[in-house]
Amino acid sequence: MTYPIQGSCQCGGVKYRLLNAPTAIIACHCKACQKLSTSAFSITAMVNAADIEFEGEMAEWSRLADSGNTNGAKFCPTCGNRIYHFNPEQPDKIKLKPANLDDTSIIKPTAHVWVSEKQDWFTIPEGVKVFDKQA
């Protein structure tokens, strides 16, 4: 894979450049991520904040996670597309929603978390780490 990779929301109002490879790609099966993705799980690419550049206005929303941490979200105020999540206590880390990338070939989860809430019909591929709750 050659970096940078471009990404954007559905309407193009928010654009970004991922400058380096993510540190991890995680599939989360918790009920909140199922609601977010309107699917069986949500994909997150863990990236260093210094490795991504954003352009365009984003709105923000947050909730308290089961861990007690704040789970913030940045999204396009026009189309509503989630761009990334973050913990305000860890400003150097971003939890990018990589389905927004122009080239999604990097989306190969190496771990599945919250499989205790996984949809029964989904089978986790062989060879990836699995955690009943958060890793």
Side-chain angles (χ1 to χ4, degrees):
M1 173 61 57
T2 303
Y3 289 86
I5 303 174
Q6 310 294 322
S8 66
C9 65
Q10 286 181 299
C11 73
V14 176
K15 295 180 170 99
Y16 63 89
R17 288 174 11 114
L18 181 59
L19 306 175
N20 290 301
T23 59
I25 307 278
I26 310 295
C28 182
H29 296 265
C30 77
K31 295 298 183 191
C33 280
Q34 290 178 36
K35 285 183 180 184
L36 163 68
S37 67
T38 68
S39 188
F41 53 88
S42 178
I43 303 290
T44 298
M46 306 300 289
V47 300
N48 294 315
D51 290 339
I52 194 161
E53 299 171 342
F54 295 101
E55 178 185 322
E57 182 182 338
M58 288 187 268
E60 186 174 315
W61 176 80
S62 66
R63 68 174 177 85
L64 196 60
D66 289 345
S67 65
N69 293 327
T70 298
N71 186 15
K74 294 279 192 171
F75 59 95
C76 175
T78 302
C79 68
N81 210 188
R82 288 278 173 101
I83 305 300
Y84 70 91
H85 291 173
F86 65 97
N87 177 345
E89 300 294 319
Q90 296 177 315
D92 57 330
K93 303 291 180 198
I94 287 179
K95 303 169 191 172
L96 184 69
K97 305 315 286 178
N100 295 326
L101 288 166
D102 292 348
D103 180 352
T104 56
S105 65
I106 68 164
I107 303 177
K108 296 179 179 99
T110 55
H112 287 251
V113 299
W114 283 99
V115 297
S116 59
E117 297 183 3
K118 179 180 82 60
Q119 293 291 320
D120 290 339
W121 57 264
F122 181 76
T123 302
I124 295 174
E126 296 281 329
V128 297
K129 295 177 185 171
V130 175
F131 300 90
D132 278 344
K133 296 194 182 277
Q134 194 66 36

